[in-house]
Amino acid sequence: ELENQLMAKSKTLDELKQSLASNGSAEQTPEAQSLRIAELCEMKDSIVNQVAQLKVSMESILEQWRAYDEIYAEVSLMTTRYLYCIDQCKPSEEEASLEALKKQVKTLQ
């Protein structure tokens, strides 16, 4: 099995060597090299533009997340306050009885 893997790797290496040799011989002329350099420069410029666009897009998304975090913190604080108020406003068992309510009405009158 190890020998099979070694032979497969050797074959792949030979194919890469042949590919490199054929690419190298095809582009020996200075004109071909100039064209390849120009093509690579265009590709680099395209990548630079794409990166710049991505940065702008990411900055916008990051700003939206910051706004979300601020609003979430405010909503969380308000929710906590409302839950505290609701908890404090619950009548105890003694206050909920009919007699206690009658007593409170008399006190208010």
Side-chain angles (χ1 to χ4, degrees), residues 70-85:
E70 290 175 11
I71 292 170
Y72 180 81
E74 290 177 25
V75 169
S76 179
L77 181 62
M78 284 198 269
T79 302
T80 303
R81 286 180 180 166
Y82 290 136
L83 290 174
Y84 177 77
C85 288

Side-chain angles (χ1 to χ4, degrees), residues 28-43:
Q28 289 297 322
T29 65
E31 295 85 13
Q33 289 177 350
S34 295
L35 289 174
R36 182 68 179 151
I37 290 171
E39 182 183 322
L40 290 173
C41 287
E42 286 178 23
M43 291 170 66

